[in-house]
């Protein structure tokens, strides 16, 4: 070896040597390089109590094994523990020193009975462990870390000789996302250490958070030597709206962040932490609870090692600490006791011992190496000490170890060189005396079934600021039932607007992404959270419009019956005889039916009512128009018969008139029978016109059939109108043709306007339009044809004479 050797901080000779790297001090002072003289050695300061305890744990475990009669019974284990000062430079220097025999100078010959080192315990941080593993990897020296959790180290291709007695961050990172999801937080910020540990852990968290629907407002990182980046991180936290921060930091970066947050009085953020800092005693300061109070995080299980407390407070200082003893098992190097002065102040300090969560990991690491050596040295009653054990053999043996330590914990390594993930969920709480306590409030155990791995007792948690109520951290408040989430453009999916569901759609859950379409016969209620049956609409007898139409139908039928009674009582009078009483009574009867048939259009449509309403309308109106047509023909023939030698009336007497009416009506009956046989009308739920209600109506079945019925009625009406128009100028004081012409004009006008009104009217108004057309045309026929006669019979009886009918009333003389 050329140059000054680097000596271990703590060491002991043995048959087998285990190396270790711990950042026992955290601040490294680099000497000035003037290049005119040899640089001074690097100096370290600021004792890191946690890692000093880990070094003590390693020595405690080795001494315990050396005393054991069952494990390596006649083999002594030595150790060389280096202080890396939390520096990558010192870590590399210590690694090179471990792999070389520091007693051999350049040019000397050295006979190797055993390798200088058989395994290395360390490092504490993932980044330095990566450097350590990459450096020792080509020499196949196994590295066993007690706290390096980076998932990157699970890659057996890059790190085939790396083992750890702590779980990979793969489980912790995913568990962080699960705890955020479990507590209902969908809007978080993240900050991580800018090294292998923080970057890999945060990468897994962000991926899992995305899978779980958690949105990240910001994701920032910094390293302990980057104050500018740290300041930007603090500014980002200050401006953010997220009330939850997932801090994937080491205790060093967390301490720096805590200082800046305290100085700027940035509080009110719920911290979610990792095992690296959640139980770090160095973070407990007078002002830290204002920032970190209520913090939640995962910690390595706290397992008490029997006899350890007595050892570190008494035995260690008497037997293993340099400068306080001169036994032959101490380091043989010239020791400058000044470098141990800052450690001596810890001799009587024990307040931190109840929170030594990594001590069991170091303990298990040492025992894993011991069990590997036990199998390699063929230890039974004794061990074959003369066997040359290579570090690679130790690495292969480590893959096979499976033992239980005295605390009852089973130790074995999986295919990645790691152990099963088992964490406690820790909550920062403050006791009545103001002291900060790390209270367990749950656990995560990857060895259990998936649905039993995570448990959180939320009722035992004290939240940020000492509050008992869980804080909320959402970008947008939950969308209530009846609305759906609409993502805001350019923002994460957790930032959304609540849009009311459209008509006919519902959402019956909170935070629905989509609204569900109601079934075809259902519609959304006012709150849009339930589908209800659509209102069924039809023209009923109980509504105002139905009552009005029934009233006019009954009035029309009643007036028609009254006129029929009047005509019957006056049947022997000249005016009744002169106006063809043979057809007047059938006409009045058919008009009565016309008025009454409109009632079939009112009420809930049924199969029979649908068939009845259209056929009854068609037949009664043809009967009515046939009677009018007969009367018109009679008027024409009556005047033709007055011509000399014309006996045409004998061919169109009362019998022929009734027969013609019957014939015209039978044709309509035949059309209706064909219609009902081929494609009859039927009840139909019309849901096309209105979305929110069902129009219960009668479908025509066959549009052709309905058109034929209306067309036949129209044909007769037009024919009647033409004949009446031709007969309007015939001489007579009471020429009925003029009244028939006017009635047919009203009839045709009503039904011509009916067609567009029928087509354009919505819902029950379609039926109302049809009833109105029936009533209007019926009233038109009734009043135009019969009211003049009733007027004479009731108010002008003196005109009800044969002479007046014949126009032979004598003139008055003056």
């Amino acid at each position: 070896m050329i140059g000054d050797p680097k000596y271990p901080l703590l060491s002991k000779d043995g048959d087998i040597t285990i190396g270790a790297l711990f950042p026992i001090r955290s601040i490294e002072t680099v000497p000035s390089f003037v290049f005119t003289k040899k640089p001074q050695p690097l100096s370290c300061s600021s004792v890191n109590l946690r890692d000093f305890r880990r070094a003590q744990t390693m020595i405690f475990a080795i001494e315990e094994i050396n005393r054991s009669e069952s494990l390596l019974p006649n083999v002594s284990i030595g150790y060389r523990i280096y202080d890396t000062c939390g520096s990558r430079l010192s870590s590399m220097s210590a690694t090179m020193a471990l792999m070389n025999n520091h007693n051999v100078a350049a040019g000397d010959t050295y006979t190797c009975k055993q390798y200088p080192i058989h395994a290395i315990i360390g490092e504490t941080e993932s980044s330095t462990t990566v450097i350590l593993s990459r450096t020792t990897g080509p020499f196949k020296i196994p590295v066993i870390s007690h706290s390096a959790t980076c998932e990157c180290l699970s890659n057996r291709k890059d790190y085939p000789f790396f083992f750890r007695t702590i779980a990979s961050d793969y489980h912790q990172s995913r568990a962080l996302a699960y705890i955020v999801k479990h507590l209902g937080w969908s809007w978080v910020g993240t900050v991580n250490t800018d090294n292998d540990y923080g970057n890999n852990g945060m990468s897994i968290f962000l991926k899992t958070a995305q899978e779980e629907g958690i949105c990240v407002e910001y994701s920032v990182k910094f390293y302990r030597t980057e104050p500018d980046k740290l300041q930007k991180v603090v500014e980002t936290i200050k401006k953010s709206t997220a009330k939850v921060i997932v801090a994937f930091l080491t205790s060093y970066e967390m301490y720096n962040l805590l200082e800046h947050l305290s100085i700027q009085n940035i509080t009110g953020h719920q911290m979610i932490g990792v095992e690296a800092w959640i139980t770090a005693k160095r973070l407990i300061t007078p002002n830290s609870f204002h920032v970190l109070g209520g913090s939640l995080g995962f910690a390595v299980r706290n397992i008490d090692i029997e006899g350890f407390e007595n050892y570190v407070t008494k035995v260690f200082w008497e037997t293993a600490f340099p400068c306080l003893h001169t036994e032959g098992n101490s380091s043989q190097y010239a020791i400058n006791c000044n470098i141990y002065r800052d450690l001596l102040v810890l001799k009587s300090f024990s307040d931190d011992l109840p929170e030594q969560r990594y001590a069991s990991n170091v303990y298990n690491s040492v025992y894993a190496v011991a069990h590997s050596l036990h199998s390699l040295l063929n230890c039974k009653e004794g061990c074959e000490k003369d066997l040359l054990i290579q570090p690679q053999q130790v690495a292969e043996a480590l893959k096979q170890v499976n033992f239980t330590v005295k605390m009852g914990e089973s130790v074995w390594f999986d295919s990645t060189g790691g152990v099963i993930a088992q964490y406690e969920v820790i909550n920062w709480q403050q006791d009545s005396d103001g002291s900060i306590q790390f209270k367990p409030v749950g656990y995560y155990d990857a060895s259990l079934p998936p649905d039993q791995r995570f448990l959180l007792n939320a009722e035992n948690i004290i939240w940020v600021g000492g509050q008992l109520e869980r804080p909320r951290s959402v970008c947008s408040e939950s969308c209530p039932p009846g609305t759906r989430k609409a993502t805001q453009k350019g923002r994460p999916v957790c930032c959304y607007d609540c849009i009311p569901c459209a008509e006919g759609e519902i959402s019956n859950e909170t935070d629905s992404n989509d609204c569900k379409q109601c079934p075809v016969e259902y519609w959304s209620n006012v709150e849009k959270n339930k589908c209800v049956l659509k209102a069924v609409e039809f023209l009923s007898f109980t509504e105002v419009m139905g009552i009005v139409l029934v009233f006019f139908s009954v009035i029309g039928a009643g007036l028609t019956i009254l006129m029929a009674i009047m005509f019957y009582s006056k049947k022997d009078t000249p005016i009744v005889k002169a106006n063809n009483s043979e057809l007047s009574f059938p006409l009045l009867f058919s008009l009565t039916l016309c008025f009454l048939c409109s009632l079939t259009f009112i009420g809930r449509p049924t199969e029979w009512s649908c068939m009845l309403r259209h056929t009854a309308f068609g037949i009664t109106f043809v009967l009515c128009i046939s009677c009018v047509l007969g009367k018109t023909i009679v008027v024409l023939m009556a005047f033709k018969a007055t011509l000399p030698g014309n006996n045409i009336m004998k061919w169109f007497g009362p019998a022929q008139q009734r027969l013609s009416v019957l014939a015209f009506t039978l044709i309509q009956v035949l059309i209706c029978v064909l219609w009902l046989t081929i494609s009859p009308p039927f009840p139909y739920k019309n849901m096309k016109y209105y979305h929110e209600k069902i129009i219960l109506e009668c479908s025509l079945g066959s549009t052709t059939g309905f058109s034929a019925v209306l067309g036949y009625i129209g044909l007769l009406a037009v024919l009647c109108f033409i004949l009446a128009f031709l007969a309007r100028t015939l001489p007579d004081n009471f020429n009925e043709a003029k009244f028939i012409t006017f009635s047919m004009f009203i009839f045709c006008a009503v039904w011509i306007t009916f067609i567009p009104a029928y087509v354009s009217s919505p819902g029950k108004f379609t039926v109302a339009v049809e009833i109105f057309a029936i009533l209007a045309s019926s009233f038109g026929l009734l009043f135009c044809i019969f009211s003049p006669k009733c007027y004479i019979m009731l108010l002008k009886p003196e005109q009800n004479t044969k002479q007046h009918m014949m126009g032979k009333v004598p003139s008055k003389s003056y």
Side-chain angles (χ1 to χ4, degrees):
M1 178 180 291
I2 301 175
D4 294 332
K6 182 177 177 67
Y7 293 109
L9 183 71
L10 301 167
S11 66
K12 178 183 178 181
D13 294 332
D15 299 323
I16 300 290
T17 304
I18 301 176
L21 303 178
F22 297 109
I24 294 175
R25 298 181 181 90
S26 58
I27 298 177
E28 180 182 60
T29 304
V30 181
S32 60
F33 296 100
V34 295
F35 303 105
T36 58
K37 60 181 180 179
K38 187 177 180 180
Q40 294 295 313
L42 301 176
S43 62
C44 299
S45 59
S46 184
V47 174
N48 183 356
L49 181 59
R50 286 211 302 179
D51 280 278
F52 180 57
R53 292 297 188 211
R54 291 165 189 172
Q56 290 178 306
T57 305
M58 177 179 171
I59 298 172
F60 170 77
I62 289 174
E63 296 295 347
E64 195 174 71
I65 293 168
N66 286 339
R67 293 193 304 269
S68 173
E69 296 180 357
S70 59
L71 185 62
L72 297 173
N74 60 332
V75 176
S76 65
I77 299 178
Y79 55 84
R80 290 161 59 193
I81 300 174
Y82 285 84
D83 180 8
T84 64
C85 299
S87 161
R88 297 176 186 180
L89 178 62
S90 291
S91 178
M92 175 61 76
S93 176
T95 302
M96 300 305 295
L98 273 174
M99 292 192 297
N100 290 277
N101 192 320
H102 47 260
N103 281 336
V104 183
D108 290 350
T109 58
Y110 175 65
T111 302
C112 179
K113 292 184 178 180
Q114 285 292 355
Y115 279 78
I117 207 79
H118 289 85
I120 299 175
I121 308 296
E123 261 261 18
T124 296
E125 293 188 10
S126 294
S127 293
T128 50
T129 304
V130 167
I131 296 172
L132 172 62
S133 297
R134 287 192 180 277
T135 305
T136 59
F139 302 96
K140 302 178 181 179
I141 300 173
V143 173
I144 309 172
S145 177
H146 55 281
S147 62
T149 57
C150 179
E151 170 62 13
C152 58
L153 290 164
S154 296
N155 187 337
R156 301 308 279 173
K157 183 179 179 180
D158 293 338
Y159 310 100
F161 303 103
F162 174 76
F163 300 85
R164 52 183 158 195
T165 51
I166 190 171
S168 157
D169 277 333
Y170 174 80
H171 298 284
Q172 181 176 215
S173 298
R174 293 178 65 85
L176 285 172
Y178 297 151
I179 197 172
V180 170
K181 178 73 173 180
H182 178 79
L183 293 172
W185 297 320
S186 60
W187 188 236
V188 301
T190 68
V191 56
N192 65 273
T193 301
D194 191 6
N195 61 10
D196 295 305
Y197 169 74
N199 292 332
N200 281 275
M202 186 53 68
S203 175
I204 297 169
F205 169 79
L206 293 176
K207 181 180 179 182
T208 309
Q210 185 177 11
E211 294 171 356
E212 296 295 326
I214 301 166
C215 294
V216 177
E217 182 183 10
Y218 59 87
S219 184
V220 292
K221 55 187 176 181
F222 71 97
Y223 192 64
R224 65 195 69 162
T225 58
E226 299 173 329
D228 292 339
K229 281 191 176 181
L230 174 57
Q231 187 59 43
K232 290 180 180 179
V233 168
V234 174
E235 289 299 322
T236 301
I237 293 174
K238 192 174 182 179
K239 295 176 182 177
S240 71
T241 58
K243 296 301 180 183
V244 174
I245 300 175
V246 178
F248 214 108
L249 302 167
T250 69
S251 59
Y252 299 102
E253 280 76 27
M254 192 66 215
Y255 184 83
N256 294 342
L257 179 63
L258 173 63
E259 274 191 327
H260 281 71
L261 294 177
S262 298
I263 291 171
Q264 299 192 33
N265 195 28
I266 301 174
T267 59
H269 292 87
Q270 177 68 50
M271 293 288 183
I272 306 297
V274 289
E275 38 73 36
W277 68 264
I278 196 67
T279 57
K281 286 282 188 178
R282 67 186 304 221
L283 297 179
I284 299 178
T285 65
N287 296 321
S288 62
F289 195 78
H290 296 295
V291 177
L292 297 182
S295 293
L296 280 174
F298 292 100
V300 177
R301 291 185 304 163
N302 195 6
I303 300 175
D304 182 53
I305 303 174
E306 183 183 351
F308 178 64
E309 184 173 353
N310 178 64
Y311 177 80
V312 299
T313 55
K314 185 176 181 182
V315 178
F316 169 79
W317 302 99
E318 295 174 354
T319 61
F321 191 73
C323 293
L324 293 182
H325 59 90
T326 57
E327 290 86 346
N329 62 354
S330 63
S331 174
Q332 65 232 33
Y333 316 118
I335 298 175
N336 182 358
C337 287
N338 288 330
I339 65 172
Y340 297 97
R341 189 171 298 167
D342 53 353
L343 296 176
L344 283 172
V345 300
L346 302 174
K347 183 178 178 181
S348 58
F349 184 78
S350 61
D351 293 351
D352 64 309
L353 292 177
E355 245 346 286
Q356 289 301 315
R357 293 179 178 270
Y358 292 91
S360 62
N361 291 352
V362 178
Y363 185 88
N364 293 343
S365 299
V366 175
Y367 265 85
V369 175
H371 277 275
S372 301
L373 293 169
H374 188 86
S375 63
L376 291 172
L377 292 173
N378 301 321
C379 297
K380 293 179 183 177
E381 293 182 359
C383 301
E384 299 179 19
K385 296 173 61 174
D386 295 333
L387 289 177
L388 180 62
I389 304 300
Q390 300 179 22
Q392 183 181 3
Q393 292 177 279
V394 178
E396 292 300 320
L398 280 170
K399 297 177 182 178
Q400 309 300 323
V401 297
N402 193 334
F403 60 93
T404 302
V405 294
K406 65 181 181 180
M407 297 87 76
E409 186 179 8
S410 295
V411 180
W412 56 277
F413 299 104
D414 59 22
S415 59
T416 67
V419 296
I420 294 295
Q422 294 176 319
Y423 300 105
E424 285 182 343
V425 181
I426 296 299
N427 182 216
W428 277 48
Q429 298 186 11
Q430 196 170 37
D431 283 348
S432 56
D433 60 357
S435 63
I436 296 175
Q437 302 294 326
F438 304 135
K439 297 287 187 180
V441 291
Y443 65 81
Y444 179 87
D445 191 344
S447 65
L448 298 176
D451 58 336
Q452 300 176 18
R453 289 178 181 174
F454 179 64
L455 175 68
L456 186 67
N457 298 316
E459 63 275 7
N460 298 332
I461 297 174
I462 298 297
W463 304 101
V464 58
Q467 297 178 5
L468 297 177
E469 185 178 349
R470 183 191 310 171
R472 287 182 57 79
S473 184
V474 294
C475 181
S476 301
E477 293 296 329
S478 296
C479 289
T483 62
R484 64 174 178 84
K485 296 194 293 187
T487 305
Q488 296 174 357
K489 188 176 181 180
R491 304 199 69 190
V493 294
C494 298
C495 301
Y496 48 81
D497 297 315
C498 295
I499 306 298
C501 291
E503 296 293 332
E505 296 181 346
I506 65 158
S507 66
N508 52 11
E509 297 176 351
T510 301
D511 287 336
S512 292
N513 290 319
D514 297 295
C515 296
K516 301 175 184 176
Q517 186 72 42
C518 287
V520 65
E521 293 193 11
Y522 288 79
W523 196 248
S524 55
N525 60 357
V526 177
E527 293 80 16
K528 307 290 179 63
N529 59 7
K530 185 180 180 181
C531 287
V532 295
L533 280 169
K534 289 181 179 179
V536 178
E537 183 179 88
F538 57 88
L539 188 60
S540 68
F541 288 99
T542 55
E543 62 181 294
V544 175
M545 188 187 301
I547 293 172
V548 171
L549 293 174
V550 168
F551 173 78
F552 282 105
S553 297
V554 173
I555 289 295
L559 288 175
T560 307
I561 293 170
L562 287 175
M563 288 184 181
I565 293 171
M566 184 183 299
F567 265 60
Y568 185 78
S569 63
K570 304 286 186 178
K571 64 181 177 179
D572 294 328
T573 59
I575 195 168
V576 175
K577 290 181 177 181
N579 284 280
N580 195 354
S581 60
E582 288 80 4
L583 292 179
S584 293
F585 288 107
L587 178 56
L588 287 168
F589 172 72
S590 64
L591 281 173
T592 303
L593 294 179
C594 287
F595 282 115
L596 295 177
C597 83
S598 63
L599 298 177
T600 62
F601 288 82
I602 305 174
R604 188 182 188 92
T606 63
E607 187 175 352
W608 285 103
S609 68
C610 286
M611 290 190 291
L612 177 63
R613 64 173 58 171
H614 290 103
T615 53
F617 153 72
I619 294 170
T620 55
F621 260 78
V622 165
L623 177 61
C624 180
I625 301 300
S626 298
C627 293
V628 176
L629 181 61
K631 289 172 71 68
T632 307
I633 295 172
V634 168
V635 171
L636 282 172
M637 289 186 174
F639 281 98
K640 294 290 183 182
T642 59
L643 298 176
N646 195 327
N647 58 351
I648 192 172
M649 281 303 295
K650 71 177 183 179
W651 299 106
F652 203 71
Q656 289 81 2
Q657 294 172 27
R658 296 188 186 97
L659 188 61
S660 65
V661 171
L662 181 61
F664 285 130
T665 307
L666 285 176
I667 294 173
Q668 183 73 308
V669 171
L670 180 61
I671 294 172
C672 290
V673 169
L674 289 173
W675 182 16
L676 295 179
T677 303
I678 297 171
S679 182
F682 58 89
Y684 170 66
K685 294 178 179 179
N686 187 344
M687 290 175 277
K688 295 179 181 178
Y689 202 93
Y690 293 109
H691 295 297
E692 71 278 8
K693 57 186 176 182
I694 298 173
I695 305 301
L696 198 57
E697 60 187 16
C698 287
S699 175
L700 297 175
S702 171
T703 306
T704 305
F706 184 61
S707 300
V709 169
L710 286 183
Y712 185 62
I713 295 173
L715 178 64
L716 292 180
V718 171
L719 180 60
C720 187
F721 177 76
I722 293 172
L723 293 176
F725 184 77
L726 294 174
R728 76 189 188 285
T729 56
L730 295 175
D732 198 343
N733 277 358
F734 198 79
N735 184 359
E736 196 174 27
K738 290 183 287 186
F739 303 111
I740 293 174
T741 301
F742 193 62
S743 67
M744 286 297 102
F745 177 77
I746 294 174
F747 184 91
C748 293
V750 168
W751 286 99
I752 288 172
T753 56
F754 158 77
I755 295 173
Y758 181 84
V759 172
S760 60
S761 297
K764 61 184 178 182
F765 296 103
T766 305
V767 180
V769 166
E770 193 168 356
I771 296 173
F772 176 79
I774 293 171
L775 294 177
S777 55
S778 299
F779 275 113
L781 289 171
L782 180 66
F783 288 125
C784 289
I785 295 176
F786 292 99
S787 59
K789 303 177 181 62
C790 294
Y791 173 77
I792 291 173
M793 285 188 286
L794 292 174
L795 301 177
K796 298 289 184 178
E798 68 276 6
Q799 295 181 9
N800 192 3
T801 61
K802 187 175 181 180
Q803 291 79 7
H804 188 80
M805 294 296 105
M806 298 298 292
K808 297 178 181 180
V809 180
S811 302
K812 292 182 179 180
S813 56
Y814 298 94

